[in-house]
Amino acid sequence: MRAVSRRGVVLSLALSAVAGYVDAVGFIETGGLFVSFMSGNSTQAGVEIWTDPARALLPLALVVAFVIGVAAGGVAVGHHVRRRSLVVAASAIAVAACAAVGFAFPHAAWRFALLACAMGALNTLYLADGRARIAITYATGTLVSLGLALADLVTGRSATAWRRPLLLWASLAAGAVAGAAAHRWLGDGALLGAAGVLAALAVAISVVSRR
């Protein structure tokens, strides 16, 4: 994260909050699966294979959709920073589409693949050497960075490196709290709010990149 500009950090915090929000809604709607945390889905699928193989299909489908989203985002962004707005806009459309399908077909579990695909794509906005410099939609890598930064703090190598990973994790967690609250009142309609925020961020990124 140190190589990312201050503006990029602010954007990543906003996107991470949206990811936590969407993941919370997806978690509630799927009964305990994730649309951005694929380690959890992989473990769930492994357990279900031995208890109820049919139930392993959805978590596996979410993993596949997430990877497809990452691949699509990687192709779209490449080395073209200005295409980031397209990825965010496409993610907004996917989230809105999931909400729309939910209204029409509330039992259509496949719609959550749209959320996983969107969340995967968001992780391609900050690429370097074929890797994501910022994990937008999942906290494990961020918490590893936080732990290492705390080690740097203790050993005197850096007194400030812990701030950014802590803020990124806090944004994701705060977004999850907001998503759970929104779902309590709005159900699938909560996703429309997330889609709106992503659309606004896409416009902001487009405007900034043209300056």
Side-chain angles (χ1 to χ4, degrees):
M1 294 181 64
R2 295 174 182 173
V4 179
S5 68
R6 181 174 298 179
R7 182 180 293 165
V9 171
V10 172
L11 175 61
S12 69
L13 293 177
L15 290 170
S16 188
V18 174
Y21 181 105
V22 171
D23 204 29
V25 174
F27 182 86
I28 295 170
E29 286 288 314
T30 60
L33 296 178
F34 304 90
V35 295
S36 69
F37 178 57
M38 295 303 115
S39 296
N41 288 340
S42 299
T43 300
Q44 184 70 23
V47 172
E48 296 293 1
I49 284 175
W50 290 102
T51 57
D52 186 354
R55 293 185 61 183
L57 294 179
L58 182 55
L60 288 175
L62 293 176
V63 171
V64 171
F66 185 89
V67 173
I68 290 174
V70 174
V75 170
V77 175
H79 299 289
H80 304 280
V81 175
R82 292 187 177 182
R83 294 182 183 175
R84 289 174 178 170
S85 61
L86 297 178
V87 172
V88 178
S91 296
I93 293 171
V95 173
C98 180
V101 173
F103 289 134
F105 307 99
H107 300 294
W110 61 267
R111 64 194 170 97
F112 297 109
L114 292 170
L115 296 184
C117 191
M119 295 300 99
L122 292 181
N123 288 290
T124 65
L125 299 182
Y126 299 96
L127 300 177
D129 300 323
R131 294 186 176 185
R133 285 185 290 177
I134 301 180
I136 297 292
T137 72
Y138 52 94
T140 304
T142 300
L143 291 176
V144 170
S145 296
L146 175 59
L148 293 175
L150 290 175
D152 288 342
L153 175 64
V154 172
T155 57
R157 289 192 292 268
S158 175
T160 60
W162 58 271
R163 295 176 183 174
R164 289 183 179 179
L166 179 60
L167 284 174
L168 193 61
W169 172 82
S171 295
L172 186 72
V177 172
H183 183 271
R184 183 184 182 93
W185 296 105
L186 302 173
D188 276 339
L191 290 176
L192 294 178
V197 173
L198 286 173
L201 289 173
V203 172
I205 294 170
S206 179
V207 170
V208 170
S209 65
R210 291 177 182 176
R211 293 179 179 177

